[in-house]
Amino acid sequence: QVHVVEFGGGSVQAGGSLNISCAASGYSMYCMGWFRKAPGKEREGVATIGSDFVTRYADSVKGRFTISKDNAKNTLYLQMNNLRPDDTATYYCAARAWGGVCYLAAQQFNFWGQGTQVTVSS
């Protein structure tokens, strides 16, 4: 049975930093990523990373967010710097065991966490 659990999140003022992490158990995950959903907006891909450590980022977070992965621990991290109020959302960890390109596409992931809230105040 697969479990995906997020850790971290919270509230911070604009310009601040937060780190969130995610642990997946059950399978060795090839591709992991972060997605987010804000109230009234559609879910969007934030960043993905494969076991080859190739990363992809949404344009809105490039230069501010860094995704990383510990393959041995099946653990994913997202360091978020220079946070803005429009980064406020529920952040979801996603994972899949099969290989291939890790696009920022939710439909390519079949394991999801319950989400963790990130709130950025102005």
Side-chain angles (χ1 to χ4, degrees):
Q1 191 172 2
V2 176
H3 293 282
V4 178
V5 181
E6 296 99 342
F7 302 92
S11 298
V12 67
Q13 289 193 324
S17 298
L18 279 175
N19 188 289
I20 55 178
S21 60
C22 163
S25 61
Y27 286 109
S28 178
M29 300 299 176
Y30 177 83
C31 185
M32 298 183 75
W34 292 99
F35 293 76
R36 66 186 181 186
K37 186 166 187 325
K41 295 184 179 180
E42 293 189 355
R43 180 175 54 186
E44 65 170 336
V46 175
T48 62
I49 185 170
S51 291
D52 56 2
F53 301 109
V54 173
T55 58
R56 283 176 171 77
Y57 293 93
D59 288 343
S60 59
V61 306
K62 281 180 182 176
R64 300 187 299 122
F65 290 11
T66 301
I67 189 171
S68 59
K69 183 174 179 279
D70 185 328
N71 286 336
K73 296 181 179 179
N74 241 12
T75 300
L76 182 71
Y77 306 93
L78 186 68
Q79 176 65 40
M80 302 180 288
N81 297 327
N82 193 21
L83 282 160
R84 309 185 306 216
D86 61 359
D87 292 317
T88 295
T90 300
Y91 284 70
Y92 296 91
C93 177
R96 71 166 197 245
W98 51 277
V101 178
C102 299
Y103 291 115
L104 283 165
Q107 63 267 29
Q108 294 193 352
F109 294 84
N110 51 344
F111 301 118
W112 292 83
Q114 78 287 354
T116 187
Q117 180 66 34
V118 171
T119 302
V120 185
S121 58
S122 57

